[in-house]
Amino acid sequence: MRIATFNVNGIGARLPALLQWLNETKPDVVCLQELKAPQEKFPEAAINDAGYQAIWHGQKSWNGVAILARGQKPIETGRGLPGDADDIQSRYIEAIVDGILIGGLYLPNGNPAPGPKFDYKLKWFDRLHTHAAKLLDSGAPVILAGDFNVMPTELDVYKPERWVDDALFRPEVRAAYHKLLAQGWTDALRTMHPGEKIYTFWDYFRNAYGRDAGLRIDHLLLSPALAPALTAAEVDRDVRGRKKPSDHAPTWVELDLKKIS
DNA sequence: ATGCCAATCGTTGATTGA
């Protein structure tokens, strides 16, 4: 079973690239972020025609998350991260597919730091800690997949010294990510590629992709019940080099569910 | 310190992203 995460940076602008990638790699589940489209503008028919059913939580202009499953409808278990009834940003959606609980998330960027956006990011991280702990307590196989907007370590950024004051790399944010991992989650990509420079994002500026000036900010975290099934984790890097690309590349894990059954 | 690019909304620029 292959589960992927892909920040598409606009589902409208990215639909051809998304459909091409789905057709080529046929992941079983895909978490999408940054739909940048209201609920009614999600291209459901095109997704269905590609062999997928979807649930999504849109928002005008910004944010927006979705979960796609190949040949079946994800069974939704929640949308919106618990812990703040006043938070109306579409950044979390959760579903069950083939007995796996999937949390698709788009963690706030947080720039500029310090400031209210950075405070919102840290509060969102606190809420994620609480909800993630609850998911772990269930003992179920769980995956948290999405754009975390955090480079966990210096290995995950092409030039660490340039990013130390950025909201994606500040010590508080890295500490929050490591506090989350310490609950028992497995960072799948790093586990399968220890010590390796491996990025998931390259910005549009300064020929960042051509220079491999990238960041690792898209993550797939496995609960202890699911981690033994992990057999591969990769980045579909070439997708970033195509025409009209997202600034993120699809990132995925391969799970052998026989190993945990 | 800023711009560099790209998307959306909506209109020819402002805002956001990372």
Side-chain angles (χ1 to χ4, degrees), chain A residues 39-60:
Chain A
Q39 189 70 8
E40 63 274 15
K41 287 275 181 67
F42 185 84
E44 186 178 20
I47 298 286
N48 290 344
D49 288 347
Y52 289 82
Q53 295 188 57
I55 59 169
W56 66 96
H57 193 194
Q59 183 183 330
K60 188 180 172 185

Side-chain angles (χ1 to χ4, degrees), chain A residues 160-242:
Chain A
E161 65 275 17
R162 287 279 174 88
W163 288 82
V164 287
D165 290 326
D166 190 278
L168 280 71
F169 198 52
R170 284 178 63 112
E172 307 95 302
V173 174
R174 276 184 272 169
Y177 183 83
H178 288 106
K179 183 179 164 186
L180 179 64
L181 285 191
Q183 292 181 346
W185 299 93
T186 295
D187 180 334
L189 195 62
R190 181 50 73 215
T191 298
M192 298 306 287
H193 300 272
E196 185 180 325
K197 185 180 78 172
I198 181 164
Y199 300 140
T200 67
F201 167 93
W202 298 261
D203 84 28
Y204 293 120
F205 307 160
R206 299 170 291 249
N207 188 33
Y209 183 66
R211 296 184 296 117
D212 198 25
L215 310 172
R216 189 173 76 93
I217 55 177
D218 300 277
H219 307 302
L220 300 116
L221 307 188
L222 310 181
S223 76
L226 188 56
L230 178 64
T231 60
E234 300 292 341
V235 179
D236 287 335
R237 196 182 195 286
D238 59 302
V239 173
R240 177 62 182 83
R242 296 177 180 174

Side-chain angles (χ1 to χ4, degrees), chain A residues 17 35 94 96 138 194 203 207:
Chain A
L35 302 178
E94 190 181 282
I96 294 172
S138 75
D203 84 28
N207 188 33

